[in-house]
Amino acid sequence: MTRRRSLAALAFAVGAGLIATTIAGTAAAAGDRDAAHSSSVWLSHQLRPDGTLENPLGGELPDHGLMLDLVFAMHASGDGALAEPIMKFLDDQGHVTDYFTWDGLAPGQGFDQIVVGGAVAKTLLAAQISGRDPRAFDGHDMVAETKAAIRRSGVDAGRISDYSKNPEWADMVNNNANMFGQSLAVIGLAVAGENDQPAIDKMVTQQCSEGYFRIFFGYVQGPEGLKVSSCDEGKADGSSAPDGDATGLALSAMLAAKRAGAAGLDEPIARTVTWLKNNQSAGGGWGGGVGTEAPNTNSTGLIVQALADAGGAGAEVGRGVEFLKSAQAGASDSGTALAGQIGAIAYDPASYQAARTGGISGIDTWIRASAQASLGLSQIGLYALAKGDVPEPTPTTTASSTPATTTTTAAQGTTPPPVHTKTETTTVRAPTPTTKPKAVVRQPAPAPKTVQPAAKTSAAKLGAYLANKLVRGDHVEVTENDRTYVDYDATADLVLALHALGEQPDAAKKASEFLLTPDAVNAYAHGAGQETGEAAYAEPLAKLVVLAQFQKSDDLANRLRADLAALRGADGLFTDTGSFADSADSVRRHTWAVLATVADPGQAIEALAARQCEDGTFPERMDDADCEDGDLASTAAAVTALNSRPFTEDAPVAQAPAEWSKERAAAFVKAISLLGAKPNGKGMVDDDGGAPSIALSASVAGARQAAGLDVSGTAKTIGGMVLADGGLARVSGGDGTTDFATSLVAAQGIAGRSWISANGSPLSPVVRLPLADAKPVPALVAQNAPRHPPLWSYFALGGAMVLAGLVLLLRRRLSQGVQ
């Protein structure tokens, strides 16, 4: 039950690290080249052989933006040779348009005409820093591309922008470019000797009078119509919160532009330096923007670099460097769980201390932190770096700084190293500006408990794999527009997957507690930080209701359920409120709302039943009336919702209860009949292309098991596909690389049950068929046993004919029960 991301949102999602760019000047005495070198060496060990990094957002494309962050860090530390695999992949092997255009999302379809402004600017700077020709980088003139991405007229004049070169596709593009892209464009063009005054002027308007910069552009109504608001103008609608990352990078950009001849920047530079000096924490670090206000190494790395470049802040720079080093694994960790990770830098000192005993959890967070923090240790400004003012190369094989290979970590029983994967774009769960607003909630957390090494069962292996995807033990993160956000939706789905598996209860509990904090609830379900007025979103509210019930937080569940019920109209449909309201109204979204309000559904269940297609499936959207055939994943979700009730110790029944309408009973019987006939002899369901689909098979299995049908074949087959790290590949028989999105939805297939049948579930199935197989696979009996005991004995029956007979029997009983 996922929200599909728009092509526009994915375009920038595939390109950016937490931000990782910075600095533009000379090395400061307070820097630590050895520490920066150690970080670069560790980072080099995280690259795949082809020079790529897995994209935590999923998709076939690697994380290009984070790869460029590594390029900046490695060159700044004097280890540019370590970055060559990355540049060869992008330049020599022709992959750069996968990053700064949409071409990689749908190759050969003409989407190379859609340009991502921030990615263009970042590519330009990477080409300059790496010594490649920026005017012939993979055949592209990145200087010209960057200038073309700066709007010359209209509302966004002077702003680096996402846009389409093909006018017919202009409406497909949402301009998500932010201050990171703006600053990178200013730096890159300054290095090229082509200062762009409109871009510089637009950047400076995003500085508030206090001296800080905001991250996101906003709009305001001016005398001549809509225009981009200044930072001070944005205060009225709450869109101008201070952002340490944006402020540090903007300082680097202003310094670069000034060195390239731009005038009038002394005053805004001075105000920026003053604000940064005044906002350093007692411990020496700086925080970022909304939700990342707590001191962290990512923000501190950017700011230390910029202040060192600006000069006049020696004491603050020195304390910042000590803060960075306090979160870095070093020689003193030789006897700890970080022994094989020398040089790695944690998000904050607390995370480093936790990892000394528990090992690295959330490798992606460590890679981002190491790349960005390293810039503060090197203190070589981006302008100087791109101009060739680089340190002498550092030997990269010293025993003190070379980390062990990633296999060392696994051998020590700590968090498994990242598996280099390819993932399916359409199953990514990341809120986007076209669906739900994004909000960062990155609160300091106590040290996560060490995830226990995976046991031999498939469910245990998958459970450990999923738990290790939780950053700092309590949430999933994604990166868009050079910022890292909490992926609330994926976090919620991961918790429910662990419930279905019956594994990692501590991880499920901790992640649930994170999601149920007031800040997380407000961000996920009400758009806090993005919405200017009141807002409420049905699917997030529904998932939070379920999680609160799992946690036995009944008061919170009731409050959330009341908010959800307020979105339900007399016709039973749920309508989001707010400027980021989800207008897709998918069947799966509606089923979540039904499950969360099943005790008092109003007309929601009847509205669902009325959407059934002629062949018994359900469509993807609730507004798809009079359909001939629909979507199997939506059908599985609908069957689950139709057959659910509040938890009861009573066993499922053999006929429809009196309160079921004839329409609900008929819809359930028709849909479960179809789902029961779909799996092949191994329990797998084919996708539209005729290939067995792990994700689809797992979704269908969850619905079938809730109705009492045997799914041991599915569990056995998918369980046999679990890879060495505990995850699953995107497709059966693929290239052996793990896919997080597929692994997430595969849980109920491997468990042989949905979360509705898990221990502690707030729901129970209403109707249950007898199992068709009297002798399930022994290894799956305990693992797959439903919490609620079946009403019937196991029958020694099997095959399609038996199933057809059982469904026919149920149809008769249901018919009798509603007449």
Side-chain angles (χ1 to χ4, degrees):
M1 301 181 183
T2 68
R3 288 196 304 274
R4 294 182 181 270
R5 310 192 60 219
S6 69
L7 193 59
L10 282 169
F12 207 120
V14 298
L18 179 56
I19 75 181
T21 62
T22 63
I23 61 194
T26 58
D32 192 323
R33 282 283 311 285
D34 289 340
H37 163 65
S38 180
S39 173
S40 289
V41 173
W42 181 82
L43 287 169
S44 72
H45 285 265
Q46 312 313 310
L47 291 171
R48 292 185 275 200
D50 63 353
T52 62
L53 290 168
E54 175 188 357
N55 194 327
L57 282 174
E60 296 290 341
L61 302 176
D63 193 335
H64 298 98
L66 183 55
M67 289 156 57
L68 295 188
D69 292 348
L70 268 63
V71 170
F72 299 160
M74 290 170 174
H75 278 275
S77 69
D79 300 295
L82 297 177
E84 272 305 288
I86 300 172
M87 301 312 293
K88 287 180 179 178
F89 177 83
L90 294 172
D91 187 10
D92 301 345
Q93 298 176 25
H95 291 291
V96 71
T97 55
D98 291 348
Y99 176 46
F100 77 81
T101 77
W102 288 13
D103 189 50
L105 300 173
Q109 303 300 311
F111 289 129
D112 58 343
Q113 298 298 298
I114 297 180
V115 176
V116 184
V120 166
K122 195 169 187 179
T123 302
L124 167 61
L125 191 56
Q128 293 165 328
I129 287 174
S130 64
R132 302 273 173 147
D133 184 355
R135 295 187 181 275
F137 191 74
D138 187 23
H140 299 275
D141 185 341
M142 298 311 303
V143 176
E145 291 282 2
T146 301
K147 294 178 70 173
I150 298 171
R151 302 295 84 193
R152 301 302 170 184
S153 61
V155 174
D156 290 313
R159 177 184 173 188
I160 190 81
S161 299
D162 305 338
Y163 75 102
S164 174
K165 295 179 180 180
N166 182 347
E168 295 181 2
W169 292 349
D171 292 340
M172 295 174 58
V173 184
N174 292 324
N175 190 4
N176 295 320
N178 56 33
M179 267 299 295
F180 296 136
Q182 191 77 19
S183 297
L184 291 170
V186 168
I187 296 170
L189 292 176
V191 171
E194 298 194 20
N195 265 342
D196 192 291
Q197 196 61 47
I200 296 170
D201 293 343
K202 183 63 68 178
M203 177 181 69
V204 173
T205 67
Q206 300 308 293
Q207 182 180 36
C208 272
S209 54
E210 294 87 345
Y212 67 82
F213 283 75
R214 66 177 182 176
I215 175 59
F216 296 114
F217 288 91
Y219 297 95
V220 67
Q221 197 70 32
E224 299 179 0
L226 198 66
K227 69 166 187 172
V228 172
S229 61
S230 68
C231 185
D232 284 334
E233 288 172 332
K235 292 176 180 177
D237 62 15
S239 64
S240 293
D243 192 291
D245 301 274
T247 303
L249 189 54
L251 177 56
S252 292
M254 290 188 291
L255 293 169
K258 179 182 177 181
R259 289 184 178 124
L265 294 174
D266 287 343
E267 191 275 334
I269 288 174
R271 279 195 293 129
T272 306
V273 171
T274 298
W275 186 86
L276 289 172
K277 291 171 66 175
N278 291 339
N279 282 273
Q280 186 176 28
S281 72
W286 282 269
V290 176
T292 60
E293 297 93 343
N296 62 81
T297 57
N298 299 74
S299 303
T300 301
L302 281 175
I303 292 169
V304 165
Q305 167 274 315
L307 285 177
D309 191 21
E316 290 81 6
V317 167
R319 290 196 293 125
V321 168
E322 292 306 311
F323 176 85
L324 295 172
K325 292 168 66 176
S326 72
Q328 184 176 32
S332 62
D333 292 301
S334 60
T336 74
L338 289 175
Q341 309 295 337
I342 304 305
I345 302 175
Y347 177 74
D348 53 29
S351 299
Y352 159 70
Q353 291 296 335
R356 298 189 82 217
T357 55
I360 289 179
S361 178
I363 190 72
D364 181 73
T365 301
W366 283 69
I367 296 174
R368 296 178 192 283
S370 297
Q372 200 158 294
S374 181
L375 295 171
L377 297 172
S378 296
Q379 294 177 21
I380 306 297
L382 286 181
Y383 181 81
L385 194 59
K387 282 291 190 180
D389 184 9
V390 298
E392 291 298 320
T394 306
T396 59
T397 57
T398 58
S400 62
S401 61
T402 302
T405 61
T406 53
T407 55
T408 303
T409 306
Q412 293 171 340
T414 58
T415 303
V419 175
H420 307 306
T421 70
K422 293 182 179 179
T423 53
E424 183 176 1
T425 302
T426 56
T427 57
V428 172
R429 295 163 170 76
T432 73
T434 56
T435 54
K436 296 290 181 288
K438 304 178 295 291
V440 183
V441 177
R442 192 182 268 137
Q443 302 167 339
K449 295 183 179 179
T450 303
V451 175
Q452 296 300 316
K456 293 183 179 180
T457 67
S458 299
K461 290 179 181 179
L462 179 57
Y465 167 85
L466 293 175
N468 282 323
K469 290 296 183 180
L470 294 169
V471 177
R472 292 192 300 285
D474 60 15
H475 67 275
V476 178
E477 290 184 354
V478 295
T479 300
E480 288 186 18
N481 294 6
D482 274 348
R483 292 301 302 270
T484 294
Y485 304 96
V486 172
D487 189 338
Y488 296 102
D489 207 43
T491 305
D493 288 345
L494 190 149
V495 171
L496 293 173
L498 293 179
H499 281 303
L501 291 167
E503 298 290 339
Q504 301 292 338
D506 289 341
K509 181 176 184 293
K510 188 172 181 180
S512 296
E513 291 172 346
F514 172 87
L515 287 168
L516 295 174
T517 60
D519 284 345
V521 170
N522 287 333
Y524 183 30
H526 299 290
Q530 298 294 317
E531 295 279 8
T532 58
E534 293 186 0
Y537 315 129
E539 185 174 338
L541 280 169
K543 291 184 178 180
L544 290 172
V545 168
V546 172
L547 294 178
Q549 289 179 295
F550 264 111
Q551 289 294 103
K552 310 302 180 186
S553 301
D554 294 337
D555 289 344
L556 176 58
N558 290 335
R559 292 197 300 272
L560 294 169
R561 189 183 292 107
D563 290 342
L564 175 60
L567 302 179
R568 187 178 60 209
D571 58 359
L573 301 180
F574 293 82
T575 303
D576 288 356
T577 62
S579 58
F580 291 95
D582 186 349
S583 60
D585 199 14
S586 69
V587 165
R588 285 180 287 180
R589 168 181 173 272
H590 186 81
T591 60
W592 271 111
V594 169
L595 291 169
T597 59
V598 70
D600 183 20
Q603 291 299 308
I605 291 179
E606 303 309 320
L608 175 62
R611 264 58 180 185
Q612 190 170 38
C613 300
E614 292 182 7
D615 68 345
T617 61
F618 282 79
E620 292 188 0
R621 294 173 58 98
M622 290 292 288
D623 61 2
D624 189 357
D626 302 323
C627 52
E628 294 183 2
D629 55 65
D631 174 68
L632 283 181
S634 298
T635 305
V639 164
T640 303
L642 291 170
N643 194 33
S644 293
R645 58 181 167 176
F647 170 68
T648 174
E649 295 288 355
D650 297 337
V653 296
Q655 62 182 31
E659 63 270 19
W660 273 31
S661 69
K662 185 175 182 179
E663 291 74 19
R664 176 180 180 178
F668 171 74
V669 169
K670 192 173 183 180
I672 195 62
S673 300
L674 182 137
L675 292 182
K678 281 295 179 181
N680 60 26
K682 295 184 178 181
M684 300 297 288
V685 178
D686 293 342
D687 59 21
D688 292 339
S693 167
I694 295 173
L696 192 55
S697 299
S699 297
V700 170
R704 293 177 65 239
Q705 185 275 332
L709 297 178
D710 177 38
V711 296
S712 59
T714 305
K716 182 177 181 180
T717 300
I718 299 181
M721 297 177 182
V722 173
L723 302 175
D725 70 327
L728 289 100
R730 181 172 59 89
V731 294
S732 172
D735 60 4
T737 54
T738 312
D739 172 70
F740 171 61
T742 300
S743 302
L744 194 60
V745 298
Q748 58 187 359
I750 286 180
R753 66 181 179 193
S754 74
W755 58 265
I756 288 176
S757 298
N759 288 328
S761 173
L763 300 177
S764 300
V766 181
V767 175
R768 187 185 295 275
L769 291 167
L771 297 180
D773 188 353
K775 298 179 180 180
V777 180
L780 296 172
V781 173
Q783 174 184 327
N784 301 333
R787 178 193 58 173
H788 312 302
L791 178 63
W792 299 278
S793 303
Y794 295 115
F795 289 88
L797 301 173
M801 291 297 292
V802 174
L803 176 60
L806 291 171
V807 171
L808 178 59
L809 174 62
L810 177 63
R811 179 182 285 113
R812 291 175 178 173
R813 290 181 173 177
L814 288 174
S815 178
Q816 294 170 357
V818 297
Q819 287 179 348

